[in-house]
Coordinates of all heavy atoms in Angstrom, one line a residue:
E27 N -45.4 29.2 14.7 CA -46.6 28.6 14.2 C -47.6 29.7 14.1 O -47.7 30.6 14.9 CB -47.1 27.5 15.2 CG -46.2 26.4 15.4 CD -46.8 25.3 16.3 OE1 -47.8 25.6 16.9 OE2 -46.1 24.3 16.5
F28 N -48.5 29.6 13.1 CA -49.6 30.5 12.9 C -50.7 29.8 12.2 O -50.5 28.8 11.5 CB -49.2 31.8 12.2 CG -48.9 31.7 10.8 CD1 -49.9 31.9 9.8 CD2 -47.6 31.4 10.4 CE1 -49.5 31.8 8.5 CE2 -47.2 31.4 9.0 CZ -48.2 31.5 8.1
E29 N -51.9 30.3 12.4 CA -53.1 29.8 11.8 C -53.9 30.8 11.0 O -53.9 32.0 11.5 CB -54.0 29.1 12.8 CG -53.4 27.9 13.5 CD -54.3 27.2 14.5 OE1 -55.5 27.2 14.2 OE2 -53.8 26.7 15.5
F30 N -54.4 30.5 9.9 CA -55.2 31.4 9.1 C -56.5 30.7 8.6 O -56.5 29.5 8.6 CB -54.4 32.0 7.9 CG -54.1 31.1 6.9 CD1 -54.9 30.9 5.7 CD2 -52.9 30.3 6.9 CE1 -54.5 30.0 4.7 CE2 -52.5 29.5 5.9 CZ -53.3 29.3 4.8
D31 N -57.5 31.5 8.3 CA -58.7 30.9 7.8 C -59.1 31.5 6.5 O -58.8 32.7 6.2 CB -59.9 30.9 8.9 CG -60.7 32.2 8.9 OD1 -60.3 33.2 8.2 OD2 -61.6 32.2 9.7
Y32 N -59.8 30.7 5.7 CA -60.3 31.1 4.4 C -61.8 30.9 4.4 O -62.3 29.8 4.6 CB -59.6 30.2 3.4 CG -60.1 30.3 2.0 CD1 -60.2 31.5 1.3 CD2 -60.5 29.1 1.3 CE1 -60.7 31.6 0.0 CE2 -61.0 29.2 0.0 CZ -61.1 30.4 -0.7 OH -61.5 30.5 -2.0
R33 N -62.5 32.0 4.1 CA -64.0 32.0 4.0 C -64.3 32.1 2.6 O -64.3 33.2 2.0 CB -64.6 33.1 4.9 CG -64.2 33.1 6.3 CD -65.0 32.2 7.2 NE -64.5 32.2 8.6 CZ -65.3 32.0 9.6 NH1 -66.6 31.9 9.4 NH2 -64.8 32.0 10.8
N34 N -64.7 31.0 1.9 CA -64.9 31.0 0.5 C -66.3 31.2 0.1 O -67.2 30.6 0.7 CB -64.3 29.7 -0.1 CG -65.0 28.5 0.4 OD1 -65.0 28.2 1.5 ND2 -65.6 27.8 -0.6
L35 N -66.5 31.9 -1.0 CA -67.8 32.0 -1.7 C -68.1 30.6 -2.2 O -67.2 29.8 -2.5 CB -67.8 33.0 -2.8 CG -67.7 34.5 -2.4 CD1 -67.5 35.3 -3.6 CD2 -68.9 34.9 -1.7
P36 N -69.4 30.2 -2.4 CA -69.7 28.8 -2.8 C -69.0 28.4 -4.1 O -68.8 27.2 -4.2 CB -71.2 28.9 -2.9 CG -71.6 29.9 -1.9 CD -70.6 31.0 -2.0
H37 N -68.8 29.3 -5.0 CA -68.2 28.8 -6.3 C -66.7 28.7 -6.2 O -66.1 28.3 -7.2 CB -68.6 29.8 -7.4 CG -67.9 31.2 -7.3 ND1 -68.5 32.2 -6.5 CD2 -66.8 31.7 -7.8 CE1 -67.7 33.2 -6.6 NE2 -66.7 33.0 -7.4
M38 N -66.1 29.0 -5.1 CA -64.6 28.8 -4.9 C -64.3 27.7 -4.0 O -65.1 27.2 -3.2 CB -64.0 30.1 -4.4 CG -64.2 31.3 -5.4 SD -63.3 32.8 -4.8 CE -61.6 32.3 -5.0
Q39 N -63.0 27.2 -4.2 CA -62.6 26.0 -3.4 C -61.4 26.3 -2.6 O -60.7 27.3 -2.8 CB -62.3 24.9 -4.4 CG -63.4 24.5 -5.3 CD -64.6 23.9 -4.5 OE1 -64.4 23.2 -3.5 NE2 -65.8 24.3 -4.9
P40 N -61.1 25.5 -1.6 CA -59.9 25.7 -0.7 C -58.6 25.8 -1.5 O -57.7 26.6 -1.2 CB -59.9 24.5 0.2 CG -61.3 24.1 0.3 CD -61.9 24.3 -1.1
E41 N -58.5 25.0 -2.6 CA -57.3 24.9 -3.4 C -57.0 26.2 -4.1 O -55.9 26.5 -4.6 CB -57.3 23.7 -4.3 CG -56.9 22.4 -3.7 CD -55.5 22.5 -3.0 OE1 -54.5 22.7 -3.7 OE2 -55.4 22.3 -1.8
D42 N -58.0 27.0 -4.3 CA -57.8 28.3 -4.9 C -56.8 29.2 -4.2 O -56.2 30.1 -4.8 CB -59.2 29.1 -5.1 CG -60.1 28.4 -6.0 OD1 -59.7 27.7 -6.9 OD2 -61.4 28.6 -5.9
V43 N -56.7 29.0 -2.9 CA -55.7 29.8 -2.1 C -54.6 28.9 -1.6 O -53.5 29.3 -1.5 CB -56.4 30.5 -1.0 CG1 -57.3 31.6 -1.5 CG2 -57.0 29.6 0.0
A44 N -54.9 27.6 -1.3 CA -53.9 26.7 -0.8 C -52.8 26.4 -1.8 O -51.6 26.4 -1.4 CB -54.6 25.4 -0.3
A45 N -53.2 26.3 -3.0 CA -52.2 26.0 -4.1 C -51.2 27.1 -4.2 O -49.9 26.8 -4.2 CB -52.9 25.6 -5.4
P46 N -51.6 28.3 -4.4 CA -50.6 29.4 -4.5 C -49.7 29.6 -3.3 O -48.5 30.0 -3.4 CB -51.4 30.6 -4.9 CG -52.8 30.3 -4.5 CD -52.9 28.9 -4.7
I47 N -50.3 29.4 -2.1 CA -49.5 29.5 -0.9 C -48.5 28.4 -0.8 O -47.3 28.7 -0.5 CB -50.4 29.4 0.3 CG1 -51.3 30.7 0.4 CG2 -49.6 29.4 1.6 CD1 -52.4 30.6 1.5
R48 N -48.8 27.2 -1.2 CA -47.8 26.1 -1.2 C -46.7 26.4 -2.2 O -45.5 26.1 -2.0 CB -48.5 24.8 -1.5 CG -49.4 24.3 -0.3 CD -49.8 22.8 -0.5 NE -50.6 22.4 0.6 CZ -51.9 22.3 0.6 NH1 -52.6 22.7 -0.5 NH2 -52.6 21.8 1.7
R49 N -47.1 26.9 -3.4 CA -46.1 27.3 -4.4 C -45.1 28.3 -3.9 O -43.9 28.3 -4.1 CB -46.8 27.7 -5.7 CG -47.3 26.6 -6.5 CD -47.6 27.1 -8.0 NE -48.5 28.2 -8.0 CZ -49.8 28.1 -8.1 NH1 -50.4 26.9 -8.1 NH2 -50.6 29.2 -8.2
H50 N -45.7 29.3 -3.2 CA -44.8 30.4 -2.7 C -43.9 29.8 -1.6 O -42.7 30.2 -1.6 CB -45.7 31.5 -2.0 CG -45.0 32.7 -1.6 ND1 -44.5 33.6 -2.5 CD2 -44.6 33.1 -0.4 CE1 -43.8 34.6 -1.8 NE2 -43.9 34.3 -0.5
I51 N -44.3 28.9 -0.8 CA -43.5 28.3 0.1 C -42.3 27.5 -0.6 O -41.2 27.7 -0.2 CB -44.3 27.3 1.1 CG1 -45.2 28.1 2.0 CG2 -43.3 26.4 1.9 CD1 -46.2 27.3 2.7
A52 N -42.7 26.7 -1.5 CA -41.8 25.8 -2.2 C -40.8 26.5 -3.1 O -39.6 26.2 -3.2 CB -42.5 24.7 -3.0
E53 N -41.3 27.6 -3.8 CA -40.4 28.2 -4.8 C -39.7 29.5 -4.3 O -38.7 29.8 -4.8 CB -41.3 28.6 -6.0 CG -41.9 27.4 -6.7 CD -42.9 27.8 -7.8 OE1 -43.0 29.0 -8.0 OE2 -43.6 26.9 -8.3
M54 N -40.2 30.1 -3.2 CA -39.6 31.4 -2.7 C -39.0 31.2 -1.3 O -37.8 31.6 -1.2 CB -40.7 32.5 -2.7 CG -41.3 32.8 -4.1 SD -40.0 33.5 -5.2 CE -39.6 35.0 -4.4
L55 N -39.8 30.8 -0.4 CA -39.3 30.8 1.0 C -38.4 29.7 1.4 O -37.3 29.9 1.9 CB -40.5 30.9 1.9 CG -41.5 32.0 1.8 CD1 -42.6 32.0 2.8 CD2 -40.7 33.4 1.8
E56 N -38.7 28.5 1.1 CA -37.9 27.3 1.5 C -36.5 27.4 0.9 O -35.5 27.1 1.5 CB -38.6 26.0 1.2 CG -39.7 25.7 2.2 CD -40.3 24.3 2.1 OE1 -40.3 23.8 0.9 OE2 -40.8 23.8 3.1
P57 N -36.4 27.8 -0.4 CA -35.0 27.8 -1.0 C -34.1 28.8 -0.2 O -32.9 28.6 0.0 CB -35.3 28.3 -2.4 CG -36.6 27.8 -2.7 CD -37.4 27.9 -1.5

C-alpha cells in the first residue's frame, strides 16, 4: 500500500492526474 498527494493549481482538477494513473494501471500494470 502507498499514498500520494496532488497539490493542484486552481485551474486544474484531480482527474487531470487520476485519469492517466488509472489508465496506466488498467492498460499496463494489471495485464
Side-chain angles (χ1 to χ4, degrees):
E27 300 180 354
F28 68 92
E29 297 183 31
F30 66 93
D31 85 355
Y32 171 54
R33 306 275 178 147
N34 63 297
L35 293 170
H37 67 275
M38 297 186 68
Q39 301 300 321
E41 280 303 299
D42 292 335
V43 297
I47 292 173
R48 290 194 178 97
R49 282 198 301 271
H50 187 73
I51 291 171
E53 297 175 5
M54 297 296 296
L55 299 182
E56 285 186 333

